Amino acid sequence: MGDDAYIQALNQAVKQEIVQNYFRERRIIEEEILLVTEAVSGMLGGLYAWEKHRARLGRALGDAAIREKFFSAAGITPPRPESVASAAPAVGLTPIRGLTRAARYASLIQGLYKVLVDEAAGLEDERQRAIKLMKEVNQDILAFEANHDLMMLESYLRSMNPEALQKRKILGVNFTAKEKAVSAEALSFKPLKARDMGLNEALPKPRPVSQVMEQVGGLLKQALKRNPQAGQEFF
């Protein structure tokens, strides 16, 4: 083998190793992005469950005016009437006991509200975890972009046969200026944004249980006067 052929073969081997390293690191970034997506999905699933439990509390409160006043005292938005109407009354609840009906009703409302407070705290923990993961991934993306010459990679991949290109699903066969821009973009990653992933949306922040229950004691008695059977389906 002549010197020119040897040098060409060596250059080809080096380019292949660079491309292999690129795809290996690309898979790592893709897996990290998937972890962020799963964390966000977990948070959104928890928010969906929280909204169902908020509707269940609204159902236990009964009267719409009572609901408005209670949720105003709690510092959170009341559930929609249609959500209240479709809420399950007693799924997963332990029996409510008390000496009087008023005491049992207050215990019921306190228990349902405590679920909202605890779950809201968990949602914020999940959001912070997702944000932390997202920042770590963005740092890895910046390092990934800095470590790879995307123009060289594009040029090398364009030199491959069309069948190999199609397997990669990254570049086209006919390279117009627009296709070059698209292929260069496909080789890189865009940093993840909290706004696009719903991580900058305000989460519910209900006030402390003791503070709210102290404030709504008279309201719950009023609810029982209006409807002596309030909360009966939960007992």
Side-chain angles (χ1 to χ4, degrees):
M1 178 184 296
D3 290 345
D4 291 343
Y6 175 77
I7 292 173
Q8 183 177 1
L10 183 60
N11 286 336
Q12 185 75 1
V14 170
K15 289 179 180 179
Q16 287 179 347
E17 183 178 358
I18 291 174
V19 171
Q20 289 171 358
N21 289 338
Y22 163 82
F23 281 109
R24 182 175 60 253
E25 293 181 20
R26 183 183 180 89
R27 284 194 296 271
I28 293 173
I29 297 291
E30 290 171 343
E31 290 173 358
E32 290 179 343
I33 292 175
L34 181 59
L35 289 177
V36 178
T37 302
E38 289 175 348
V40 173
S41 297
M43 185 197 73
L44 295 177
L47 183 58
Y48 175 74
W50 186 89
E51 290 174 346
K52 289 179 64 177
H53 295 159
R54 178 182 58 173
R56 188 172 65 178
L57 172 57
R59 180 167 179 166
L61 289 166
D63 187 275
I66 298 294
R67 286 202 305 268
E68 290 286 339
K69 292 178 181 179
F70 182 94
F71 282 102
S72 176
I76 52 179
T77 305
R80 298 188 304 272
E82 56 270 25
S83 298
V84 173
S86 61
V91 176
L93 293 182
T94 57
I96 306 297
R97 296 181 174 85
L99 295 177
T100 65
R101 179 166 182 78
R104 294 176 67 198
Y105 186 62
S107 294
L108 168 68
I109 298 303
Q110 179 173 325
L112 292 174
Y113 181 62
K114 186 177 185 302
V115 169
L116 291 185
V117 173
D118 292 344
E119 288 185 347
L123 285 173
E124 181 59 27
D125 289 343
E126 290 184 10
R127 186 172 79 96
Q128 292 302 326
R129 174 176 173 271
I131 289 174
K132 181 181 178 182
L133 284 173
M134 182 193 68
K135 290 180 178 179
E136 291 174 353
V137 171
N138 283 342
Q139 290 177 351
D140 290 343
I141 288 175
L142 291 176
F144 175 83
E145 299 287 317
N147 289 339
H148 295 284
D149 185 343
L150 299 183
M151 295 299 293
M152 186 280 295
L153 283 166
E154 181 187 6
S155 176
Y156 176 70
L157 290 173
R158 285 175 58 193
S159 70
M160 298 169 62
N161 65 70
E163 291 183 359
L165 289 176
Q166 291 171 3
K167 290 179 181 178
R168 300 291 188 184
K169 294 184 179 179
I170 291 179
L171 303 175
V173 177
N174 299 315
F175 298 100
T176 64
K178 181 178 180 179
E179 287 171 332
K180 290 178 182 179
V182 171
S183 64
E185 182 178 356
L187 285 169
S188 59
F189 287 100
K190 292 181 179 179
L192 304 178
K193 296 182 180 180
R195 180 186 60 193
D196 295 340
M197 307 191 81
L199 292 175
N200 63 341
E201 297 292 333
L203 291 175
K205 294 182 178 180
R207 297 186 177 116
V209 176
S210 58
Q211 175 185 335
V212 172
M213 293 308 298
E214 181 179 353
Q215 185 176 347
V216 301
L219 182 66
L220 298 184
K221 292 178 181 178
Q222 182 182 351
L224 282 178
K225 286 182 179 179
R226 290 188 182 184
N227 178 16
Q229 297 301 312
Q232 179 62 40
E233 59 188 338
F234 289 83
F235 297 142

